[in-house]
């Protein structure tokens, strides 16, 4: 390994001598460069070099080459200033600086490191693209080789084919090679939607360039020479060259190109709706012969293959109001017509697909218009053209139809009630929430939560303070909700109730008693005891440590409290002990003993008990816990000796 590194270092001698001879780096800096490069070379020659080793070496060489270039420019600048001072402005300092080894060695070394890195880490696409970008930025001749190598290792990556074709088209100005790469990529990755679209864009870009060249030939504007005689001659020659490319023929060629690519794309991706939509977007922006016929064909295909898809109808409806921005005719009648067309599409969709999703998309359309933000100029235009009530009534009608047809879900119901709240119609929101919670959504926790929130908001707006009748009503509402909602979803309601009644002791105590009765009936339940510990936390914050301890003892007196509840209480006492509470340790021991009386086969519980004694107890108490555990546990494989814990 040392011989290889030494050989590589010796090959740098000519470059380093050149850098010093030209005054770009001093002898001390050259020595530092040698030291850094030797260190990097040894890293790369390790049996398993890391990706970071290559990247750090590349980064160092890039910074070094940038510094070299900066100093070179400074020296040339000083030479130019000297020439000006000596009255030799006709000469240029740059001509005195002939290109030498040091001007290209840095880039060649970076390319060499990249080449080794991508071979070492063949599967790292990010590294491949860094390599390709460096080749592109430096316009180095190795680009073709690097692209071919990347595609050989990753033929199934569409992005590489697109990158290669873009380089041939934009940088190398080789349309034939770019087209060949795109077609090869499509044969290898026929299911890539992006590849099809980039192929289409490339062909259209090429067509636009042909149009520009033809226009330049006809008018003599652009790249044609300024000399009159030469201009005429060039014009005649170019017109002859492009005589076959009249405007009509160019447009026809463009239409034929799009048709060919479209038919190939849908044959490869027959079930892709987004592909057809993207084709339409491009067609809307180009002016080609027969483009309207192709648009109609695409629209027919979309309806034929995707009429049973709600997203198709949503896209079709939103398309009716698209392309409004920038038009001169933005009267209320025009915008109303656009909105009515969109509504007609949604209504037709509901006849075909009277589903929950379809109603939800319909409602979202109007919501987006009513609550439009600045990022959607079309919605802003429509929204400002109408009275708020006009659009609001349409949206509410959609929600009502969803409810009447039985297509309303808890998500849609939540949106329905929330919209009433957003527009400040709290009474309607209350009535609606009550109706929905009494009907088919009587077990929806989110709807119940929103209903209770609405009631609380209404009570707060009605009066400065809430009286006892209001509190009884809310308490009854909470109890009703908790009996309807499933056990797995009831926790959010309990936490909401605890928060509301935390400062009202009488009602809070009734809530606790109700919870204890539910826990006694349900038995061991982590969900219920999670709520119980939330109660203890509220009591701790409100009434202090003593009342919190009294509260958790009440819950522990219930039949078979859950193990998680014991752990939470133990953690509470441990935290209190850490904060200086003198009773914390003793209470934690009592809790461990109570928990082990029920869960004596819990290895984790014994381990935690032992660890606590090791931490805050004595060696005797810790050893006693350890041997008790060994005697009690039927399976002691997870309980190692004290020296290994």
């Amino acid at each position: 390994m040392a011989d290889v590194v030494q050989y590589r270092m010796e090959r740098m001698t000519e470059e380093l001598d050149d850098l010093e001879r030209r005054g770009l780096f001093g002898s001390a800096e050259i020595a530092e460069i040698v030291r850094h490069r030797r260190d990097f070379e040894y890293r790369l020659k390790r049996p398993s070099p890391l990706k970071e080793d290559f990247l750090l070496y590349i980064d160092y060489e890039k910074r070094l080459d940038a510094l070299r270039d900066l100093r070179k420019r400074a020296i040339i600048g000083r030479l130019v200033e000297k020439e000006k001072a000596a009255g030799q402005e006709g000469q240029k300092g740059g001509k005195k600086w002939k290109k030498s080894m040091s001007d290209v060695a840095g880039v060649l070394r970076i390319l060499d490191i990249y080449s080794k890195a991508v071979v070492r880490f063949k599967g790292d696409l990010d590294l491949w693209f860094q390599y390709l970008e460096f080749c592109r930025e430096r316009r180095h001749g190795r680009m073709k080789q690097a692209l071919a190598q990347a595609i050989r290792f990753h033929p199934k990556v569409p992005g590489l084919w697109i990158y290669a074709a873009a380089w041939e088209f934009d940088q190398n100005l080789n349309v034939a090679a770019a087209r060949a790469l795109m077609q090869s990529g499509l044969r290898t990755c026929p299911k890539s939607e992006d590849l099809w679209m980039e192929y289409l864009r490339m062909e259209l870009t090429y067509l636009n360039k042909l149009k520009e060249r033809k226009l330049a030939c006809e008018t003599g504007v652009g790249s044609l020479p300024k000399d009159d005689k030469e201009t005429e001659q060039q014009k005649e020659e170019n017109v002859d060259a492009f005589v076959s490319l009249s405007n009509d023929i160019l447009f026809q060629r463009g239409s034929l190109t799009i048709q060919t690519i479209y038919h190939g794309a849908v044959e490869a991706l027959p079930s892709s709706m987004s592909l057809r939509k993207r084709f339409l977007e491009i067609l809307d922006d180009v002016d080609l012969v027969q483009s309207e016929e192709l648009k109609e064909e695409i629209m027919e295909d979309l309806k034929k293959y995707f009429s049973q898809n709600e997203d198709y109808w949503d896209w079709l409806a939103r398309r009716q109001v698209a392309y409004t921005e920038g038009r001169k005719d933005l009267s209320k009648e025009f915008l109303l017509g656009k909105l009515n067309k969109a509504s007609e599409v949604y209504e037709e969709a509901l006849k075909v697909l009277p589903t929950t999703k379809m109603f939800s998309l319909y409602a979202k359309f109007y919501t987006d218009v009513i609550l439009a933000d600045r990022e959607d100029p079309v919605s802003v235009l429509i929204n400002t053209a109408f009275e708020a009530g006009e659009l609001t009534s349409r949206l509410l009608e959609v929600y009502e139809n969803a409810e009447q047809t039985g297509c309303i879900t808890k998500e849609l119901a939540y949106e329905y009630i929330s919209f009433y709240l957003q527009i400040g119609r709290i009474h309607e929101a209350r009535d609606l929430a009550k109706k929905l919670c009494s009907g088919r959504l009587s077990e929806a926790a989110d709807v119940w939560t929103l209903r209770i929130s609405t009631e609380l908001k209404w009570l707060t707006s009605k009066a400065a303070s809430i009286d006892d009748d209001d509190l009884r009503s809310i308490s009854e509402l909470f109890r009703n909700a908790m009996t309807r909602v499933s056990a797995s979803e009831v926790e959010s309601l309990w936490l909401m109730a605890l928060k509301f009644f935390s400062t009202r002791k009488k009602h809070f105590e009734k809530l606790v008693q109700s919870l204890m009765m539910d826990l006694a009936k349900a038995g061991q339940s982590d969900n219920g005891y999670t709520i119980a510990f939330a109660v203890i936390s509220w009591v701790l914050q409100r009434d202090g440590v003593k009342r919190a301890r009294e509260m958790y003892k009440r819950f522990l007196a219930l039949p078979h409290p859950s193990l998680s509840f014991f752990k939470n209480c133990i953690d509470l006492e441990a935290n209190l002990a850490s904060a200086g509470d003198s009773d914390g340790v003793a209470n934690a021991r009592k809790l461990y003993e109570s928990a082990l009386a029920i869960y004596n086969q819990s290895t984790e519980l014994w381990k935690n008990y032992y660890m606590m004694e090791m931490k805050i107890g004595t060696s005797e108490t810790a050893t006693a816990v350890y041997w008790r555990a060994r005697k009690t546990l039927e399976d002691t494989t997870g309980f190692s000796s004290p020296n290994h814990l």
Side-chain angles (χ1 to χ4, degrees), residues 458-485:
W458 178 75
L459 287 174
T460 305
S461 65
K462 183 185 73 167
S465 60
I466 300 176
D467 58 29
D468 288 340
D469 290 338
D470 293 331
L471 289 173
R472 278 194 295 272
S473 174
I474 292 295
S475 180
E476 182 63 33
L477 191 58
F478 269 116
R479 280 196 292 271
N480 190 15
M482 290 168 187
T483 58
R484 299 286 189 91
V485 175

PDB file of all heavy atoms in Angstrom, residues 458-485:
ATOM      1  N   TRP A 458     -70.327  28.028  22.987  1.00  0.00           N
ATOM      2  CA  TRP A 458     -71.619  28.723  23.042  1.00  0.00           C
ATOM      3  C   TRP A 458     -71.900  29.244  24.445  1.00  0.00           C
ATOM      4  O   TRP A 458     -72.352  30.376  24.627  1.00  0.00           O
ATOM      5  CB  TRP A 458     -72.723  27.777  22.592  1.00  0.00           C
ATOM      6  CG  TRP A 458     -74.089  28.397  22.665  1.00  0.00           C
ATOM      7  CD1 TRP A 458     -74.625  29.323  21.832  1.00  0.00           C
ATOM      8  CD2 TRP A 458     -75.081  28.139  23.667  1.00  0.00           C
ATOM      9  NE1 TRP A 458     -75.899  29.659  22.228  1.00  0.00           N
ATOM     10  CE2 TRP A 458     -76.202  28.945  23.357  1.00  0.00           C
ATOM     11  CE3 TRP A 458     -75.133  27.302  24.774  1.00  0.00           C
ATOM     12  CZ2 TRP A 458     -77.352  28.941  24.130  1.00  0.00           C
ATOM     13  CZ3 TRP A 458     -76.283  27.298  25.542  1.00  0.00           C
ATOM     14  CH2 TRP A 458     -77.379  28.111  25.227  1.00  0.00           C
ATOM     15  N   LEU A 459     -71.610  28.408  25.468  1.00  0.00           N
ATOM     16  CA  LEU A 459     -71.840  28.829  26.846  1.00  0.00           C
ATOM     17  C   LEU A 459     -70.966  30.031  27.206  1.00  0.00           C
ATOM     18  O   LEU A 459     -71.405  30.959  27.884  1.00  0.00           O
ATOM     19  CB  LEU A 459     -71.545  27.673  27.810  1.00  0.00           C
ATOM     20  CG  LEU A 459     -72.578  26.541  27.838  1.00  0.00           C
ATOM     21  CD1 LEU A 459     -72.086  25.399  28.712  1.00  0.00           C
ATOM     22  CD2 LEU A 459     -73.923  27.054  28.358  1.00  0.00           C
ATOM     23  N   THR A 460     -69.728  30.000  26.744  1.00  0.00           N
ATOM     24  CA  THR A 460     -68.808  31.103  27.029  1.00  0.00           C
ATOM     25  C   THR A 460     -69.268  32.396  26.365  1.00  0.00           C
ATOM     26  O   THR A 460     -69.167  33.484  26.937  1.00  0.00           O
ATOM     27  CB  THR A 460     -67.389  30.747  26.544  1.00  0.00           C
ATOM     28  OG1 THR A 460     -66.991  29.524  27.135  1.00  0.00           O
ATOM     29  CG2 THR A 460     -66.395  31.833  26.924  1.00  0.00           C
ATOM     30  N   SER A 461     -69.775  32.283  25.148  1.00  0.00           N
ATOM     31  CA  SER A 461     -70.241  33.478  24.436  1.00  0.00           C
ATOM     32  C   SER A 461     -71.556  33.996  24.996  1.00  0.00           C
ATOM     33  O   SER A 461     -71.865  35.185  24.888  1.00  0.00           O
ATOM     34  CB  SER A 461     -70.408  33.159  22.940  1.00  0.00           C
ATOM     35  OG  SER A 461     -71.434  32.197  22.747  1.00  0.00           O
ATOM     36  N   LYS A 462     -72.319  33.102  25.612  1.00  0.00           N
ATOM     37  CA  LYS A 462     -73.647  33.472  26.114  1.00  0.00           C
ATOM     38  C   LYS A 462     -73.556  34.296  27.386  1.00  0.00           C
ATOM     39  O   LYS A 462     -74.330  35.229  27.603  1.00  0.00           O
ATOM     40  CB  LYS A 462     -74.457  32.200  26.376  1.00  0.00           C
ATOM     41  CG  LYS A 462     -75.884  32.457  26.843  1.00  0.00           C
ATOM     42  CD  LYS A 462     -76.595  31.171  27.210  1.00  0.00           C
ATOM     43  CE  LYS A 462     -76.085  30.599  28.517  1.00  0.00           C
ATOM     44  NZ  LYS A 462     -76.962  29.528  29.042  1.00  0.00           N
ATOM     45  N   ALA A 463     -72.621  33.939  28.249  1.00  0.00           N
ATOM     46  CA  ALA A 463     -72.539  34.625  29.538  1.00  0.00           C
ATOM     47  C   ALA A 463     -71.092  34.662  30.002  1.00  0.00           C
ATOM     48  O   ALA A 463     -70.271  33.846  29.582  1.00  0.00           O
ATOM     49  CB  ALA A 463     -73.400  33.898  30.585  1.00  0.00           C
ATOM     50  N   ALA A 464     -70.815  35.601  30.896  1.00  0.00           N
ATOM     51  CA  ALA A 464     -69.452  35.740  31.412  1.00  0.00           C
ATOM     52  C   ALA A 464     -69.072  34.552  32.278  1.00  0.00           C
ATOM     53  O   ALA A 464     -67.925  34.133  32.310  1.00  0.00           O
ATOM     54  CB  ALA A 464     -69.327  37.037  32.204  1.00  0.00           C
ATOM     55  N   SER A 465     -70.022  34.005  33.007  1.00  0.00           N
ATOM     56  CA  SER A 465     -69.756  32.848  33.869  1.00  0.00           C
ATOM     57  C   SER A 465     -70.779  31.761  33.591  1.00  0.00           C
ATOM     58  O   SER A 465     -71.890  32.027  33.129  1.00  0.00           O
ATOM     59  CB  SER A 465     -69.817  33.257  35.340  1.00  0.00           C
ATOM     60  OG  SER A 465     -71.111  33.764  35.650  1.00  0.00           O
ATOM     61  N   ILE A 466     -70.377  30.528  33.899  1.00  0.00           N
ATOM     62  CA  ILE A 466     -71.245  29.371  33.659  1.00  0.00           C
ATOM     63  C   ILE A 466     -71.903  28.982  34.978  1.00  0.00           C
ATOM     64  O   ILE A 466     -71.224  28.757  35.990  1.00  0.00           O
ATOM     65  CB  ILE A 466     -70.418  28.197  33.097  1.00  0.00           C
ATOM     66  CG1 ILE A 466     -69.751  28.617  31.783  1.00  0.00           C
ATOM     67  CG2 ILE A 466     -71.277  26.968  32.882  1.00  0.00           C
ATOM     68  CD1 ILE A 466     -68.822  27.561  31.198  1.00  0.00           C
ATOM     69  N   ASP A 467     -73.244  28.883  34.982  1.00  0.00           N
ATOM     70  CA  ASP A 467     -73.958  28.559  36.222  1.00  0.00           C
ATOM     71  C   ASP A 467     -74.052  27.050  36.416  1.00  0.00           C
ATOM     72  O   ASP A 467     -73.604  26.256  35.581  1.00  0.00           O
ATOM     73  CB  ASP A 467     -75.341  29.208  36.228  1.00  0.00           C
ATOM     74  CG  ASP A 467     -76.190  28.776  35.038  1.00  0.00           C
ATOM     75  OD1 ASP A 467     -75.995  27.644  34.530  1.00  0.00           O
ATOM     76  OD2 ASP A 467     -77.042  29.566  34.593  1.00  0.00           O
ATOM     77  N   ASP A 468     -74.662  26.637  37.547  1.00  0.00           N
ATOM     78  CA  ASP A 468     -74.739  25.214  37.898  1.00  0.00           C
ATOM     79  C   ASP A 468     -75.547  24.413  36.885  1.00  0.00           C
ATOM     80  O   ASP A 468     -75.218  23.253  36.597  1.00  0.00           O
ATOM     81  CB  ASP A 468     -75.362  25.058  39.295  1.00  0.00           C
ATOM     82  CG  ASP A 468     -74.406  25.503  40.388  1.00  0.00           C
ATOM     83  OD1 ASP A 468     -73.184  25.560  40.102  1.00  0.00           O
ATOM     84  OD2 ASP A 468     -74.869  25.799  41.501  1.00  0.00           O
ATOM     85  N   ASP A 469     -76.604  25.008  36.363  1.00  0.00           N
ATOM     86  CA  ASP A 469     -77.406  24.282  35.363  1.00  0.00           C
ATOM     87  C   ASP A 469     -76.579  23.989  34.114  1.00  0.00           C
ATOM     88  O   ASP A 469     -76.668  22.894  33.540  1.00  0.00           O
ATOM     89  CB  ASP A 469     -78.641  25.120  34.985  1.00  0.00           C
ATOM     90  CG  ASP A 469     -79.646  25.196  36.117  1.00  0.00           C
ATOM     91  OD1 ASP A 469     -79.607  24.299  36.994  1.00  0.00           O
ATOM     92  OD2 ASP A 469     -80.457  26.140  36.115  1.00  0.00           O
ATOM     93  N   ASP A 470     -75.788  24.968  33.722  1.00  0.00           N
ATOM     94  CA  ASP A 470     -74.914  24.759  32.560  1.00  0.00           C
ATOM     95  C   ASP A 470     -73.898  23.656  32.836  1.00  0.00           C
ATOM     96  O   ASP A 470     -73.622  22.809  31.976  1.00  0.00           O
ATOM     97  CB  ASP A 470     -74.186  26.058  32.200  1.00  0.00           C
ATOM     98  CG  ASP A 470     -75.133  27.125  31.681  1.00  0.00           C
ATOM     99  OD1 ASP A 470     -76.170  26.753  31.092  1.00  0.00           O
ATOM    100  OD2 ASP A 470     -74.842  28.324  31.851  1.00  0.00           O
ATOM    101  N   LEU A 471     -73.347  23.661  34.046  1.00  0.00           N
ATOM    102  CA  LEU A 471     -72.352  22.645  34.405  1.00  0.00           C
ATOM    103  C   LEU A 471     -72.967  21.254  34.420  1.00  0.00           C
ATOM    104  O   LEU A 471     -72.356  20.280  33.971  1.00  0.00           O
ATOM    105  CB  LEU A 471     -71.730  22.975  35.763  1.00  0.00           C
ATOM    106  CG  LEU A 471     -70.791  24.189  35.802  1.00  0.00           C
ATOM    107  CD1 LEU A 471     -70.376  24.499  37.229  1.00  0.00           C
ATOM    108  CD2 LEU A 471     -69.555  23.912  34.955  1.00  0.00           C
ATOM    109  N   ARG A 472     -74.190  21.150  34.941  1.00  0.00           N
ATOM    110  CA  ARG A 472     -74.873  19.845  34.948  1.00  0.00           C
ATOM    111  C   ARG A 472     -75.130  19.378  33.523  1.00  0.00           C
ATOM    112  O   ARG A 472     -74.996  18.193  33.200  1.00  0.00           O
ATOM    113  CB  ARG A 472     -76.187  19.943  35.736  1.00  0.00           C
ATOM    114  CG  ARG A 472     -76.012  19.840  37.231  1.00  0.00           C
ATOM    115  CD  ARG A 472     -77.342  19.610  37.935  1.00  0.00           C
ATOM    116  NE  ARG A 472     -78.237  20.768  37.778  1.00  0.00           N
ATOM    117  CZ  ARG A 472     -78.245  21.808  38.612  1.00  0.00           C
ATOM    118  NH1 ARG A 472     -77.410  21.834  39.643  1.00  0.00           N
ATOM    119  NH2 ARG A 472     -79.078  22.805  38.431  1.00  0.00           N
ATOM    120  N   SER A 473     -75.509  20.320  32.674  1.00  0.00           N
ATOM    121  CA  SER A 473     -75.779  19.979  31.281  1.00  0.00           C
ATOM    122  C   SER A 473     -74.514  19.472  30.586  1.00  0.00           C
ATOM    123  O   SER A 473     -74.541  18.461  29.873  1.00  0.00           O
ATOM    124  CB  SER A 473     -76.325  21.214  30.550  1.00  0.00           C
ATOM    125  OG  SER A 473     -76.458  20.960  29.173  1.00  0.00           O
ATOM    126  N   ILE A 474     -73.407  20.154  30.815  1.00  0.00           N
ATOM    127  CA  ILE A 474     -72.137  19.734  30.200  1.00  0.00           C
ATOM    128  C   ILE A 474     -71.695  18.392  30.769  1.00  0.00           C
ATOM    129  O   ILE A 474     -71.219  17.509  30.039  1.00  0.00           O
ATOM    130  CB  ILE A 474     -71.050  20.807  30.438  1.00  0.00           C
ATOM    131  CG1 ILE A 474     -71.388  22.080  29.651  1.00  0.00           C
ATOM    132  CG2 ILE A 474     -69.678  20.296  30.028  1.00  0.00           C
ATOM    133  CD1 ILE A 474     -71.374  21.902  28.143  1.00  0.00           C
ATOM    134  N   SER A 475     -71.861  18.226  32.078  1.00  0.00           N
ATOM    135  CA  SER A 475     -71.481  16.961  32.715  1.00  0.00           C
ATOM    136  C   SER A 475     -72.286  15.802  32.140  1.00  0.00           C
ATOM    137  O   SER A 475     -71.754  14.721  31.860  1.00  0.00           O
ATOM    138  CB  SER A 475     -71.692  17.071  34.228  1.00  0.00           C
ATOM    139  OG  SER A 475     -71.343  15.866  34.861  1.00  0.00           O
ATOM    140  N   GLU A 476     -73.570  16.025  31.961  1.00  0.00           N
ATOM    141  CA  GLU A 476     -74.426  14.998  31.371  1.00  0.00           C
ATOM    142  C   GLU A 476     -74.009  14.713  29.928  1.00  0.00           C
ATOM    143  O   GLU A 476     -74.025  13.550  29.478  1.00  0.00           O
ATOM    144  CB  GLU A 476     -75.879  15.474  31.417  1.00  0.00           C
ATOM    145  CG  GLU A 476     -76.895  14.472  30.883  1.00  0.00           C
ATOM    146  CD  GLU A 476     -76.933  13.182  31.689  1.00  0.00           C
ATOM    147  OE1 GLU A 476     -76.701  13.251  32.914  1.00  0.00           O
ATOM    148  OE2 GLU A 476     -77.196  12.119  31.087  1.00  0.00           O
ATOM    149  N   LEU A 477     -73.633  15.739  29.213  1.00  0.00           N
ATOM    150  CA  LEU A 477     -73.190  15.571  27.832  1.00  0.00           C
ATOM    151  C   LEU A 477     -71.920  14.724  27.777  1.00  0.00           C
ATOM    152  O   LEU A 477     -71.789  13.826  26.927  1.00  0.00           O
ATOM    153  CB  LEU A 477     -72.948  16.949  27.202  1.00  0.00           C
ATOM    154  CG  LEU A 477     -72.722  16.987  25.683  1.00  0.00           C
ATOM    155  CD1 LEU A 477     -73.907  16.385  24.936  1.00  0.00           C
ATOM    156  CD2 LEU A 477     -72.471  18.413  25.224  1.00  0.00           C
ATOM    157  N   PHE A 478     -70.989  14.990  28.689  1.00  0.00           N
ATOM    158  CA  PHE A 478     -69.764  14.187  28.751  1.00  0.00           C
ATOM    159  C   PHE A 478     -70.084  12.720  29.051  1.00  0.00           C
ATOM    160  O   PHE A 478     -69.559  11.809  28.414  1.00  0.00           O
ATOM    161  CB  PHE A 478     -68.821  14.736  29.828  1.00  0.00           C
ATOM    162  CG  PHE A 478     -67.843  15.763  29.323  1.00  0.00           C
ATOM    163  CD1 PHE A 478     -67.880  17.072  29.791  1.00  0.00           C
ATOM    164  CD2 PHE A 478     -66.882  15.429  28.386  1.00  0.00           C
ATOM    165  CE1 PHE A 478     -66.988  18.021  29.331  1.00  0.00           C
ATOM    166  CE2 PHE A 478     -65.978  16.381  27.921  1.00  0.00           C
ATOM    167  CZ  PHE A 478     -66.027  17.675  28.396  1.00  0.00           C
ATOM    168  N   ARG A 479     -70.956  12.506  30.040  1.00  0.00           N
ATOM    169  CA  ARG A 479     -71.297  11.118  30.405  1.00  0.00           C
ATOM    170  C   ARG A 479     -71.972  10.399  29.249  1.00  0.00           C
ATOM    171  O   ARG A 479     -71.707   9.213  28.982  1.00  0.00           O
ATOM    172  CB  ARG A 479     -72.196  11.115  31.652  1.00  0.00           C
ATOM    173  CG  ARG A 479     -71.440  11.287  32.949  1.00  0.00           C
ATOM    174  CD  ARG A 479     -72.297  10.898  34.148  1.00  0.00           C
ATOM    175  NE  ARG A 479     -73.404  11.826  34.335  1.00  0.00           N
ATOM    176  CZ  ARG A 479     -73.337  12.924  35.072  1.00  0.00           C
ATOM    177  NH1 ARG A 479     -72.207  13.237  35.680  1.00  0.00           N
ATOM    178  NH2 ARG A 479     -74.373  13.717  35.204  1.00  0.00           N
ATOM    179  N   ASN A 480     -72.837  11.097  28.548  1.00  0.00           N
ATOM    180  CA  ASN A 480     -73.530  10.513  27.401  1.00  0.00           C
ATOM    181  C   ASN A 480     -72.519  10.130  26.314  1.00  0.00           C
ATOM    182  O   ASN A 480     -72.591   9.051  25.717  1.00  0.00           O
ATOM    183  CB  ASN A 480     -74.546  11.521  26.859  1.00  0.00           C
ATOM    184  CG  ASN A 480     -75.470  10.897  25.832  1.00  0.00           C
ATOM    185  OD1 ASN A 480     -75.569   9.679  25.707  1.00  0.00           O
ATOM    186  ND2 ASN A 480     -76.153  11.740  25.080  1.00  0.00           N
ATOM    187  N   ALA A 481     -71.565  11.043  26.062  1.00  0.00           N
ATOM    188  CA  ALA A 481     -70.555  10.773  25.035  1.00  0.00           C
ATOM    189  C   ALA A 481     -69.695   9.574  25.408  1.00  0.00           C
ATOM    190  O   ALA A 481     -69.390   8.718  24.568  1.00  0.00           O
ATOM    191  CB  ALA A 481     -69.677  12.009  24.844  1.00  0.00           C
ATOM    192  N   MET A 482     -69.320   9.484  26.680  1.00  0.00           N
ATOM    193  CA  MET A 482     -68.424   8.414  27.113  1.00  0.00           C
ATOM    194  C   MET A 482     -69.075   7.039  27.062  1.00  0.00           C
ATOM    195  O   MET A 482     -68.407   6.017  26.912  1.00  0.00           O
ATOM    196  CB  MET A 482     -67.915   8.705  28.525  1.00  0.00           C
ATOM    197  CG  MET A 482     -66.947   9.877  28.584  1.00  0.00           C
ATOM    198  SD  MET A 482     -66.634  10.411  30.267  1.00  0.00           S
ATOM    199  CE  MET A 482     -65.666  11.891  29.998  1.00  0.00           C
ATOM    200  N   THR A 483     -70.398   7.013  27.182  1.00  0.00           N
ATOM    201  CA  THR A 483     -71.097   5.724  27.078  1.00  0.00           C
ATOM    202  C   THR A 483     -71.274   5.287  25.635  1.00  0.00           C
ATOM    203  O   THR A 483     -71.464   4.102  25.356  1.00  0.00           O
ATOM    204  CB  THR A 483     -72.477   5.812  27.750  1.00  0.00           C
ATOM    205  OG1 THR A 483     -73.240   6.860  27.115  1.00  0.00           O
ATOM    206  CG2 THR A 483     -72.339   6.100  29.236  1.00  0.00           C
ATOM    207  N   ARG A 484     -71.220   6.251  24.709  1.00  0.00           N
ATOM    208  CA  ARG A 484     -71.431   5.934  23.289  1.00  0.00           C
ATOM    209  C   ARG A 484     -70.125   5.543  22.583  1.00  0.00           C
ATOM    210  O   ARG A 484     -70.114   4.681  21.715  1.00  0.00           O
ATOM    211  CB  ARG A 484     -72.034   7.146  22.569  1.00  0.00           C
ATOM    212  CG  ARG A 484     -73.382   7.606  23.094  1.00  0.00           C
ATOM    213  CD  ARG A 484     -74.501   6.669  22.686  1.00  0.00           C
ATOM    214  NE  ARG A 484     -75.801   7.216  23.019  1.00  0.00           N
ATOM    215  CZ  ARG A 484     -76.533   7.967  22.199  1.00  0.00           C
ATOM    216  NH1 ARG A 484     -76.067   8.260  21.002  1.00  0.00           N
ATOM    217  NH2 ARG A 484     -77.710   8.425  22.568  1.00  0.00           N
ATOM    218  N   VAL A 485     -69.048   6.231  22.953  1.00  0.00           N
ATOM    219  CA  VAL A 485     -67.780   6.067  22.229  1.00  0.00           C
ATOM    220  C   VAL A 485     -67.077   4.789  22.665  1.00  0.00           C
ATOM    221  O   VAL A 485     -67.176   4.376  23.824  1.00  0.00           O
ATOM    222  CB  VAL A 485     -66.878   7.300  22.480  1.00  0.00           C
ATOM    223  CG1 VAL A 485     -65.512   7.119  21.841  1.00  0.00           C
ATOM    224  CG2 VAL A 485     -67.553   8.548  21.930  1.00  0.00           C
TER     225      VAL A 485
END
